[in-house]
Amino acid sequence: MKLAIVGGGISGLSAGYFLSDIFDEIFIFESESEIGGKIKTLKFKNHLLELGPDSISSNFQVEKFIFELNLGNEIIFPNNSKINVLYNNRILTFEPEIVSLNPIFMLKSKDISIKSKINLLFEPFKKHFENDESLEKFITRRFGEEIFLKIGQPILANIYNADGKELSVLSAFENLKIIEKNHKSFFKFALLSKNKKKHLFFSMKSGLSRIVMKLEKEVVSKNVKILKGVRVLKISKINGKLRVITNLGYCEFDKVVLAIPSFNCYDILKDFGDICELFLKTKWTSTITSYLITKEHLKLDLGNGFLVSPLENLNITGCTIYSNKWPQKVSDEFTILRFFLKYKPFKEDEIKDIIISEMDKVFNIKLRNFEIINYRWENSFPQYPINHKENVKIIREFFKNEHIYFIGSSYDGIGISSCINQAFKLRNEIL
Ligand SMILES: Cc1cc2nc3c(=O)[nH]c(=O)nc-3n(C[C@H](O)[C@H](O)[C@H](O)COP(=O)(O)OP(=O)(O)OC[C@H]3O[C@@H](n4cnc5c(N)ncnc54)[C@H](O)[C@@H]3O)c2cc1C
């Protein structure tokens, strides 16, 4: 049996790894000259700068995978820090547990109003709602509007670079719906889950690209062929085989895994008919990231950084104080800030000016001598619409009959750990 995997990001490479022993031949097609997709570690002078993701959320399956790759001793953890949100021209500070909407930490927070805290006391009595809904509706329904504005939008929706009013809670944060369904109350869940995880995220000492490089080595040693610089243009069914047409010619396969963004699937699979319209239901957003590297000491007492509520009239949407979060990746004496900006057709110099003026305006910080590295991430964050899960189910069921499978950030979660888990689960499905 011959398998084609389209896409050499973390999803495609992990699929190659998990499936190598059940196919006679596997080819991974990657359109770029390098594998890794959104995972890109840049070595700049003596610093390791993550241009895409900088960390992976910890869970059993992913940690096991990292240890299987013999990378366990290269894991590093970020300096723990509170979460800061710029809201109403003021910094609000929350404990990291707030990410899981732990209401005990909401009650303890000095940045949540008394009115909201009284409302929170009724949370255990709120009805549960089985169907999908937006992140905004979910949080407002259970915890009230203030919690959505101060936590839901700037912290949770920000992970997807999304508008929480549009984002499907069932697809983007399924665990929240599961807690609601199984425990009926977030208070009850918080009281039951006493085992506080020490670290929610981890990274690699020599950068996240280390994982894709090691994966490449592993899959190649298992006889998987990686074809770099080969773009898949079209897939069609001819005499029971799947013909994969690329910029360099075509080849036939028994099964195909697509591990690429859903809008690319639309172009490649158009021959299969109207079903492909479903790939376009997911819209994608873009962002600009900017590293600012300086030897100056900045008076910015904000732990690992801050997120910006969209109600603020700023172009900066967030900032990681990279040298605080990952001192292991930064040379001593340097301060490195990583900014996330709204995606607009800014010129390079404009980006610099925006950062200087907004940091001055909000924090009275004068940024002077620094180097800057910008990266534009176009169409990089999927915005799962309400009922996204239903769409994915229809797509997967239809194409399973054609021996075509789908994994990656377009489907069951944007995080690297979700991508690896999808590749792992595929093993049972594809057999
Ligand atoms: C700025 C940024 C920050 C992020 N931060 C985090 C974070 O801290 N933690 C986290 O867990 N996640 C984070 N994410 C999300 C995470 O990086 C991605 O969801 C994940 O890496 C996606 O992996 P993938 O393999 O599914 O897709 P991709 O990485 O997009 O890989 C797809 C690959 O397919 C190739 N390809 C596309 N079309 C074709 C074709 N027609 N033929 C052949 N090849 C093709 C592409 O070149 C690419 O290499 C971040 C994302 C961004 C953009």
Side-chain angles (χ1 to χ4, degrees):
M1 287 261 272
K2 204 168 158 187
L3 172 73
I5 297 173
V6 186
I10 189 70
S11 305
L13 290 168
S14 309
Y17 178 83
F18 291 124
L19 301 176
S20 62
D21 60 330
I22 50 177
F23 285 90
D24 302 315
E25 276 188 285
I26 299 185
F27 288 81
I28 298 181
F29 294 89
E30 170 51 56
S31 56
E32 300 291 319
S33 56
E34 291 300 326
I35 46 138
K38 300 201 172 72
I39 299 180
K40 292 183 194 294
T41 309
L42 173 74
K43 189 157 176 19
F44 179 75
K45 299 190 174 162
N46 283 328
H47 318 297
L48 288 171
L49 308 180
E50 303 289 359
L51 297 180
D54 75 347
S55 55
I56 302 182
S57 71
S58 305
N59 67 47
F60 173 74
Q61 180 59 43
V62 169
E63 282 164 31
K64 185 168 165 272
F65 179 64
I66 297 293
F67 276 89
E68 252 175 55
L69 292 174
N70 266 327
L71 294 176
N73 58 351
E74 298 185 31
I75 287 178
I76 54 171
F77 298 103
N79 272 338
N80 272 334
S81 144
K82 300 196 176 186
I83 301 175
N84 298 304
V85 174
L86 181 66
Y87 179 87
N88 229 347
N89 217 12
R90 185 168 91 72
I91 285 287
L92 316 179
T93 303
F94 300 106
E95 295 297 329
E97 287 79 1
I98 214 77
V99 175
S100 49
L101 296 182
N102 184 324
I104 297 171
F105 287 90
M106 295 177 193
L107 284 181
K108 283 185 186 165
S109 168
K110 62 176 181 21
D111 287 317
I112 299 294
S113 70
I114 299 287
K115 193 173 155 217
S116 264
K117 287 183 182 173
I118 294 171
N119 181 40
L120 276 176
L121 300 177
F122 295 94
E123 191 274 336
F125 311 104
K126 297 273 164 76
K127 272 204 199 133
H128 114 257
F129 180 66
E130 191 109 10
N131 296 342
D132 198 5
E133 59 194 315
S134 70
L135 180 69
E136 182 208 25
K137 279 216 172 111
F138 177 84
I139 295 182
T140 310
R141 182 167 61 70
R142 288 216 74 86
F143 305 99
E145 192 191 9
E146 184 182 333
I147 302 296
F148 173 72
L149 293 175
K150 291 182 174 172
I151 297 167
Q153 177 60 45
I155 302 178
L156 297 189
N158 218 339
I159 297 172
Y160 281 78
N161 193 32
D163 178 353
K165 293 191 176 97
E166 310 279 335
L167 190 66
S168 150
V169 68
L170 193 57
S171 296
F173 299 101
E174 190 179 13
N175 59 324
L176 299 179
K177 284 295 253 193
I178 293 175
I179 293 172
E180 180 180 60
K181 188 172 174 202
N182 294 350
H183 298 276
K184 308 286 181 275
S185 151
F186 278 69
F187 272 107
K188 192 172 152 205
F189 176 72
L191 292 169
L192 285 175
S193 38
K194 280 264 179 275
N195 284 347
K196 193 178 150 188
K197 260 207 217 165
K198 207 162 164 236
H199 294 285
L200 298 173
F201 298 95
F202 68 90
S203 190
M204 305 306 293
K205 199 160 57 186
S206 41
L208 288 182
S209 285
R210 173 82 175 112
I211 299 177
V212 282
M213 273 148 49
K214 190 72 199 298
L215 255 178
E216 176 178 27
K217 226 172 155 185
E218 288 287 323
V219 296
V220 169
S221 76
K222 290 170 188 247
N223 233 355
V224 173
K225 317 242 173 356
I226 302 182
L227 307 175
K228 296 180 193 172
V230 184
R231 171 169 285 277
V232 171
L233 304 173
K234 199 173 166 185
I235 297 175
S236 37
K237 197 137 192 206
I238 295 179
N239 299 330
K241 292 272 181 192
L242 291 164
R243 179 170 291 184
V244 175
I245 303 167
T246 76
N247 55 332
L248 297 183
Y250 71 84
C251 207
E252 281 172 359
F253 292 88
D254 300 294
K255 298 194 178 196
V256 173
V257 173
L258 287 162
I260 54 178
S262 46
F263 51 84
N264 289 342
C265 295
Y266 174 81
D267 295 328
I268 290 173
L269 296 172
K270 260 193 250 160
D271 271 10
F272 289 86
D274 291 347
I275 179 94
C276 291
E277 295 294 327
L278 287 181
F279 290 116
L280 301 182
K281 295 258 179 211
T282 300
K283 306 283 178 244
W284 292 68
T285 61
S286 309
T287 189
I288 298 174
T289 61
S290 275
Y291 272 105
L292 204 141
I293 302 149
T294 179
K295 272 199 160 178
E296 282 182 18
H297 177 75
L298 304 175
K299 275 202 181 132
L300 200 56
D301 189 17
L302 287 171
N304 290 349
F306 61 91
L307 296 159
V308 180
S309 153
L311 300 176
E312 304 302 291
N313 197 13
L314 294 181
N315 287 297
I316 296 174
T317 59
C319 168
T320 304
I321 306 179
Y322 195 76
S323 41
N324 282 359
K325 187 176 181 188
W326 304 111
Q328 311 92 327
K329 297 190 192 182
V330 175
S331 286
D332 291 346
E333 294 173 31
F334 281 86
T335 300
I336 300 191
L337 307 180
R338 185 190 191 193
F339 291 94
F340 293 78
L341 285 100
K342 285 180 189 156
Y343 194 88
K344 295 182 192 165
F346 297 127
K347 299 202 179 80
E348 295 293 294
D349 270 356
E350 267 180 281
I351 296 177
K352 192 170 152 185
D353 294 343
I354 286 165
I355 294 175
I356 292 175
S357 81
E358 293 190 354
M359 286 301 280
D360 187 18
K361 182 175 141 199
V362 179
F363 298 109
N364 200 16
I365 295 268
K366 313 271 181 245
L367 296 167
R368 287 189 196 94
N369 302 316
F370 59 83
E371 291 180 274
I372 187 163
I373 298 171
N374 300 324
Y375 198 91
R376 287 161 207 265
W377 285 102
E378 220 173 305
N379 296 327
S380 293
F381 295 87
Q383 310 293 289
Y384 301 152
I386 317 291
N387 294 329
H388 172 74
K389 263 193 188 297
E390 276 302 305
N391 297 339
V392 172
K393 196 168 161 222
I394 296 169
I395 289 174
R396 284 196 169 133
E397 275 173 9
F398 176 91
F399 281 102
K400 195 174 176 181
N401 296 326
E402 308 291 350
H403 302 296
I404 299 176
Y405 303 82
F406 301 89
I407 54 168
S409 62
S410 308
Y411 306 100
D412 298 323
I414 194 180
I416 293 171
S417 54
S418 310
C419 294
I420 296 171
N421 283 339
Q422 289 176 59
F424 177 72
K425 281 196 205 149
L426 187 62
R427 206 182 142 81
N428 290 333
E429 217 185 295
I430 209 167
L431 276 172

